[in-house]
Structure formats: C-alpha cells, structure tokens
Amino acid sequence: MFSGIVEEAATVVALKKDKGNLHITLRCSFTGELKIDQSVSHNGVCLTVVSIEGDTYTVTAIQETLDRSNLGLLEVGSKVNLERSMPINGRLDGHIVQGHVDQTAVCADVTEADGSWYYTFEYTFDREMAKKGYLTVDKGSVTVNGVSLTVVEPTDNSFKVAIIPYTYEFTNFHQIKKGTVVNIEFDIIGKYISRIAALNA
C-alpha cells in the first residue's frame, strides 16, 4: 500500500524488451536501501525490484501493465515518480493508494495560477465502470502518476488538480504538458462504496 507522496523522480537509464515484458532500469538516490522482491510505485504502478547494481535497479512490467499504463511510453532519460510502500507505523499523508493503475488519461490543459499550476486531465468515460467507482468527485482523491491529489471541477470524463511549486519541482509534473499521457488510479474507498451500494440496490 502507498500514500501517493512521491519520494523522488528517478531517471530511466535502460529499457529492455523481452517478449511481452519490459525491463526498466532506473537510477535513484535510495537504491542502496532497496531489496530484491521489494515493491515500489513507479508513476503509480506497483512493480517488484528484480535486480540491483550499484546505484541502479531494475523492475519488470508485464504486457497487461504496459497496456493499462504509460510505462510503455518511457524512454531513456524519462523521469519516473517513485514511492516505496508505506510502513505500517507511518503517517497516511496522502490517501490509500494501491499501486494498481486503472487507466491512462491525457493532459488537456496546463494553466499557471500565480505560482502554482492547474492541470486538466481527460480520460475515457465508461458508464458501467463509473457505477463501480471508476470516476472522480469534487474534493475527492485521485492518483496521477503516483501523486495523491485533490480533484477540482470534475466532469464525466475529466478533472482538474492544483499543483504547488514543491510538487512541480520534485515530481515529473514539470514534464507534463498538453498531450502527455499519465496514469490514474481512482480512489479505492469510492470503489468499495459503489460496490456495496450496487449490492444493496
């Protein structure tokens, strides 16, 4: 489980395609603290560390993950938001994030707002999935590329988020522009509520 509080934007140093899998090698400041089989969130996708070498480590994304997320669009030099799993005695500073990306969205607009930024994201709307909690609500939570954010002005197929300077600088939000594909994970609590409501209908 994660909280959506990104620790670092790591750099992709190598990519290797192996049949339907993609091996992603990254360099980050806390590689020395990682262990084989450890779970780390990459742009919101929970992946397992499979090897460590010096200040780099490698994770593997299977085809289903590549189809559902933006990881297949990574290039050498890309920045990836990282978060290690939350310790059981840690603070939940963001919201409950599973690291199971639901789908991708596209940045439709970026507007500067006196030192901060508003990003608008659009995603494919599916009414049946929305009934199961795959949607956003005003002042609710959503995860974008692994970052826990508060929803502003949601519609059926879009939402806005406000990004403060710290988040802009220390995550890959500074690389997101109109047309950029991002990973989104809808709030798990909303999914549970929707499921319970459907069972009681």
Side-chain angles (χ1 to χ4, degrees), residues 106-121:
V106 177
C107 180
D109 185 61
V110 182
T111 304
E112 188 173 359
D114 195 24
S116 293
W117 294 264
Y118 280 103
Y119 286 77
T120 301
F121 295 101

Side-chain angles (χ1 to χ4, degrees), residues 20-177:
N21 300 327
L22 179 64
H23 304 296
I24 307 167
T25 302
L26 305 102
R27 176 176 289 113
C28 81
S29 64
F30 54 78
T31 299
E33 301 174 32
L34 297 177
K35 298 178 181 178
I36 302 297
D37 288 338
Q38 186 172 352
S39 295
V40 180
S41 171
H42 297 74
N43 277 357
V45 180
C46 180
L47 297 174
T48 301
V49 176
V50 296
S51 69
I52 300 170
E53 185 173 344
D55 63 348
T56 69
Y57 71 95
T58 301
V59 293
T60 301
I62 64 174
Q63 190 62 54
E64 181 182 355
T65 301
L66 298 175
D67 291 342
R68 191 179 289 265
S69 73
N70 66 2
L71 297 185
L73 302 176
L74 292 176
E75 301 174 347
V76 171
S78 293
K79 292 291 187 179
V80 178
N81 293 334
L82 300 185
E83 180 192 357
R84 287 171 285 185
S85 57
M86 191 173 68
I88 198 67
N89 63 342
R91 291 186 175 90
L92 185 59
D93 292 320
H95 72 283
I96 297 173
V97 177
Q98 293 185 296
H100 302 159
V101 168
D102 293 310
Q103 64 186 87
T104 57
V106 177
C107 180
D109 185 61
V110 182
T111 304
E112 188 173 359
D114 195 24
S116 293
W117 294 264
Y118 280 103
Y119 286 77
T120 301
F121 295 101
E122 294 181 349
Y123 57 93
T124 303
F125 176 74
D126 183 309
R127 188 168 299 279
E128 290 306 309
M129 293 302 289
K131 291 178 181 177
K132 298 177 181 179
Y134 292 77
L135 77 170
T136 55
V137 297
D138 196 35
K139 307 305 180 189
S141 296
V142 68
T143 308
V144 177
N145 272 0
V147 182
S148 173
L149 297 167
T150 300
V151 173
V152 181
E153 299 178 15
T155 70
D156 282 349
N157 71 330
S158 72
F159 61 91
K160 290 183 180 180
V161 292
I163 300 299
I164 62 173
Y166 181 90
T167 305
Y168 183 86
E169 181 179 355
F170 289 100
T171 72
N172 61 16
F173 259 90
H174 62 273
Q175 295 184 331
I176 297 175
K177 57 188 177 181

